[in-house]
Amino acid sequence: MSLAQLHYTSAPPGPDGSGFRFTAVSPGVPATLLREAEQLIGYEPPRDLPDRPDAEQLKSFPKAFSCTELSDGGRLLCRSVYTGADYSGRWGNFHAHAVHLPPGTRLPDGALPITVWESPRWAEATPPGGRPEPVDRIEPSRLLRRDGLVAFARSRADRLAAFFADLRTLTDGSDVRQLVLVERDSADVAQWIALACTVLPREQAHRLTFTTYTRRPQQARQQIVGALPSSEPVGHDHRFRVHDCTGRAAGEPVADAWAEVCARIWTAGRPELFRDTARDLGDTADDVGRLAVTALAGGIALPPAARAAAARRAAARAGDLPEPTLTALLGELARAADGDDGSTGSEEPAALAALLARLDGHVPTAVSAPLAARVLTLAVRGRGPVPALGAGSLTPEVRAALARDLAPVLRHGIADPAGPATGRPLSLLHLADLLDVDCTDLLPEFAGRIARELVRTEPAHETPDAVVPGSAGARSAAAGPEAPGSAVPGSAVPRSEMPGPAWPRPTHPGSDHPAPGQPGTARAGASLSGTSRPGSARPEAAQQGPARPGADHPRSAQPGTSGPGSGRPGSADSPPPCPPALLDALRGHPALRTALFGALDALAKAQPAVVAGRLAGSGLPVALDPGFPHLRMCVLGGAAGGPAGGDRRGRLRAVLHTAGVSPHADPAVLHTAFRLVWPDEPPTGEEASLLLNELGSDAHRLAGTRDLLVAAALAAPAEDTAAPLLAADLLRCFTTELDPADRAPLLLLEYAALLGTDGEGENWVERVRALRDGAVEPVPEQVTRRVYDALARRLLAVPVPESELYALARSGDTALLAAYERAARGPAVAERLRTAPSYVAARFCDWSAYQGTHPGWETTRTALLAKVLRPAVRALPAEDRTAVEEALRRTGRGRLDAYRAWNRPGALGRLAGRLTGRGRREDERASWPGDVQPPADGGDR
């Protein structure tokens, strides 16, 4: 095939005119091509070269060799050179020799356009006769040889990667800005273009357009534009990216791994690797992974990003790589990369780990062991993920070298308190076992961190330091049952320091420091924990806050279930199971399992409900080792169930069964089981009584649950009828051991049950008030209310001694009078007033007696006369009203007259009622035998 040629220069007048014109054109070239080519083949000499150069100076002028895409899709290869003066002696002439490649055609033999730079086929003058000689091929230039390009690449080593990075984005279309190469010699630009065509895929190299020189880069149409320092600058034009090779290199790092690999291959003097990659892998030399594999297998050192790409490629195509290539690649990857500091920002550790996982067991250990050592070193030192390797992944020599090198880092990573407890430290521990690095001394603290992370809780205010794993208290507690102050066999925690449940101790609104005997006050802010002992400090009320009776004890909850947030299996907030890596580590590392279970057992003893909420159903292999009863109950107690019907005592027995030890052998397990079954609310009075009688006082005394039973009694709401019986049992079983602050409330509860029985004795009012006022701390509100309600009901019964009624009137106790009025307004009194005339008469006598004794009594009795008795009397039938008057007549002493005056209808009756209510004293002559006369002015008698 003969190539169409064009010659253009300044010529003397002829048929086509004079001046610059086409002086020789191959036959068949259309005029449209000539017009388009004329715009592309011009030449302007540099400004800084002589205007009238001699023959020697002409040789220093740049040569403009270009490859330009035409509008028809073809290519125009053109070499333009400066020739000095034209035929007329005018300076500024040039000669352009161009070759047209039609669309879809290439140079003969598939030669790249840049290879014919300075080919001997290019002419510098119009051929004689104005007719080009036929040309079927253009011989390559001898100037762009391998050795010369390697030397040039090494001289531009600091600029190669940046150029290749811009070249890649230009050819793939992601950034279409033209590249401007500024060199002092157009031949250097040609070498840049030759480098570019070598690294590009063959097809992209054929499509690349370029020019080695132009004085006006802004007007160039090519992708790569060569310029001299004297050419017009384009540094601020957004259409260009300039690589000025005449000044200092920018020195900025290049993020394109492919560009880095290309630069390393050229500076290593191995350009044939581009050809090998393209031949072996289907003309995809721009693929960084494939190219990096080839470079590394060829022994060329690459940066971490390129090594990571090679590792990923090898992992994906390990079966396709020849054995020599794979062996050479692994050997190179096993060596440290240039600039690799093992930082977590590098992609190489993960890529190498994936490659190792792909090859481990599929290649000889001698081949993969160095890579395994590199992966482990990067993972440990760079804090990356540690691969799971077996003993067969390392040779003895590699294992010994790794142990010497990594032992300090491994131990620090396992013991580092700033890092996570699970995950990476577990992998490091596995690696330490694989390398025979002894970490036994680190396990107690490490296990404590794991325990706290699993439970995800900080020590609560009621949890003593003695039971927090990893704390000084936990280390001292490890002394066992011989620890000073321990009263629980087998327990390292003194019974006096056992934390209690999260129940709030019942409180009574009032002063933080009430005066003894002041009504309406109660123990302020005392916590319902097992730490209450004589002389022990109690938290202030501000820490717990006052509690309404029953407000924090949802008795309506299903028995046998825990409160909100318990985390029991099946609940809405059930915790996720333990990480599989931790479970695997516990099964394969007995020493870690023992240390972790010990730490969790201590936490379970201190905060059983919290630990159970986190670990119930977690899959912890607690069955692998004996002991750890508190942890067993927390992990397995949720599945223990219990008898049908929600019997919480049955559930307690089931939870105790999971402990694997009898509460008589280790009483502390009873305390833990108790708090697991009743984590959010105390047991009922009946449950607590049965537990006390079933297990005996000694078991509760040793387990530290005695105060929990006391708390259950004091927190019981009024509808819990078994609470007074529980109080009596507690007083009987723990005669000398009860906290003085608890004794008075318990005595009050016990006495509330005696009222109305043969054991009530005398002086009820004074006895109740004496017990309340003599309490060391304020009596809980629900206890006071219960006993006052019981006393009020007794005072409204028939018969009632006059002395008790007088004691009530004289006391002026606001809470007691309120309880009396509340009971008098209740349905029981209303029913008796409706059906028993004698009861109506008795109530009139009571509520009209002891006028003026105390303002509080005056208010109460007048309100009851007006609001309770009067409506009841008016609703009585006539015969019952007569019966009431008959009953009052039998009492004598003018009671009937007073009643009739009080009950008289109309204004006079209302006036009589008011007079009666204001305390008109009865006629002394009408006094009954044995009547008690109130002392004057309310004084003591």
Side-chain angles (χ1 to χ4, degrees), residues 293-493:
V293 167
T294 304
L296 286 172
I300 299 176
L302 297 181
R307 290 164 60 92
R312 287 192 293 268
R313 174 67 184 176
R317 299 293 183 89
D320 300 336
L321 295 178
E323 183 178 350
T325 300
L326 181 60
T327 301
L329 173 65
L330 295 182
E332 189 65 29
L333 289 175
R335 285 188 282 272
D338 296 342
D340 181 15
D341 58 357
S343 63
T344 55
S346 174
E347 300 176 359
E348 183 181 1
L352 294 182
L355 176 60
L356 178 61
R358 172 68 175 82
L359 298 179
D360 191 24
H362 298 280
V363 298
T365 303
V367 175
S368 62
L371 177 62
R374 177 63 181 158
V375 169
L376 291 179
T377 301
L378 284 174
V380 174
R381 293 192 179 279
R383 301 187 63 81
V386 180
L389 299 179
S393 301
L394 301 172
T395 62
E397 296 78 9
V398 171
R399 181 183 297 107
L402 282 175
R404 291 191 301 270
D405 186 41
L406 299 180
V409 186
L410 285 172
R411 289 176 55 84
H412 178 269
I414 295 171
D416 185 8
T422 57
R424 175 179 169 80
L426 290 176
S427 301
L428 295 180
L429 182 63
H430 170 75
L431 181 56
D433 293 340
L434 180 65
L435 300 180
D436 295 328
V437 176
D438 185 15
C439 298
T440 306
D441 58 314
L442 306 178
L443 292 182
E445 186 67 27
F446 179 42
R449 287 180 19 239
I450 297 178
R452 290 190 292 273
E453 183 171 295
L454 286 178
V455 176
R456 295 187 186 92
T457 183
E458 294 298 327
H461 67 273
E462 77 264 19
T463 304
D465 287 341
V467 294
V468 179
S471 67
R475 290 188 287 271
S476 64
E482 292 78 19
S486 177
V488 183
S491 171
V493 185

Side-chain angles (χ1 to χ4, degrees), residues 435-828:
L435 300 180
D436 295 328
V437 176
D438 185 15
C439 298
T440 306
D441 58 314
L442 306 178
L443 292 182
E445 186 67 27
F446 179 42
R449 287 180 19 239
I450 297 178
R452 290 190 292 273
E453 183 171 295
L454 286 178
V455 176
R456 295 187 186 92
T457 183
E458 294 298 327
H461 67 273
E462 77 264 19
T463 304
D465 287 341
V467 294
V468 179
S471 67
R475 290 188 287 271
S476 64
E482 292 78 19
S486 177
V488 183
S491 171
V493 185
R495 178 171 57 86
S496 62
E497 294 181 356
M498 283 188 177
W503 319 330
R505 178 179 280 275
T507 59
H508 194 326
S511 169
D512 289 343
H513 304 284
Q518 179 181 347
T521 61
R523 182 174 309 171
S527 172
L528 239 184
S529 70
T531 60
S532 175
R533 287 293 180 269
S536 64
R538 295 178 180 269
E540 294 299 325
Q543 297 178 357
Q544 294 287 349
R548 179 173 50 85
D552 296 305
H553 314 305
R555 297 286 188 179
S556 59
Q558 178 67 26
T561 62
S562 60
S566 66
R568 294 195 179 278
S571 65
D573 54 353
S574 295
C578 290
L582 175 59
L583 298 179
D584 293 341
L586 294 178
R587 293 187 180 95
H589 203 298
L592 174 64
R593 185 170 66 243
T594 300
L596 176 60
F597 285 178
L600 287 174
D601 194 64
L603 277 175
K605 189 174 184 179
Q607 296 176 313
V610 175
V611 175
R614 296 292 184 181
L615 300 182
S618 62
L620 279 178
V622 293
L624 294 180
D625 289 314
F628 316 111
H630 306 277
L631 177 62
R632 284 174 174 269
M633 288 188 287
C634 291
V635 174
L636 306 176
D647 178 10
R648 291 190 286 191
R649 289 190 302 114
R651 173 168 168 73
L652 178 71
R653 289 191 290 269
V655 171
L656 283 172
H657 179 72
T658 64
V661 61
S662 169
H664 298 290
D666 185 358
V669 300
L670 175 59
H671 190 276
T672 300
F674 197 102
R675 295 167 62 199
L676 284 174
V677 177
W678 289 278
D680 305 312
E681 62 174 1
T684 65
E686 180 182 9
E687 289 173 332
S689 292
L690 292 173
L691 288 174
L692 178 58
N693 294 321
E694 179 181 338
L695 298 174
S697 60
D698 288 342
H700 289 285
R701 182 181 296 108
L702 294 174
T705 53
R706 178 198 66 202
D707 287 347
L708 304 183
L709 299 178
V710 172
L714 299 183
E719 58 268 20
D720 190 343
T721 58
L725 299 178
L726 171 62
D729 290 340
L730 292 171
L731 290 167
R732 171 178 52 83
C733 295
F734 306 106
T735 306
T736 61
E737 304 169 48
L738 291 173
D739 189 334
D742 294 330
R743 179 174 294 278
L746 291 176
L747 288 172
L748 283 171
L749 282 176
E750 179 187 38
Y751 190 63
L754 295 177
L755 288 170
T757 69
D758 294 340
E760 67 180 1
E762 299 179 352
N763 300 322
W764 316 327
V765 175
E766 295 301 329
R767 184 172 180 180
V768 167
R769 298 185 69 234
L771 286 174
R772 186 205 64 188
D773 295 344
V776 175
E777 294 184 8
V779 176
E781 179 185 7
Q782 50 264 51
V783 175
T784 303
R785 184 183 180 101
R786 177 193 288 271
V787 71
Y788 277 7
D789 287 346
L791 181 57
R793 290 192 297 271
R794 181 64 186 91
L795 290 172
L796 289 169
V798 177
V800 57
E802 290 284 338
S803 59
E804 297 297 342
L805 184 63
Y806 174 63
L808 171 66
R810 179 174 173 270
S811 69
D813 190 319
T814 304
L816 180 55
L817 289 173
Y820 183 80
E821 182 175 352
R822 188 167 56 248
R825 292 174 179 267

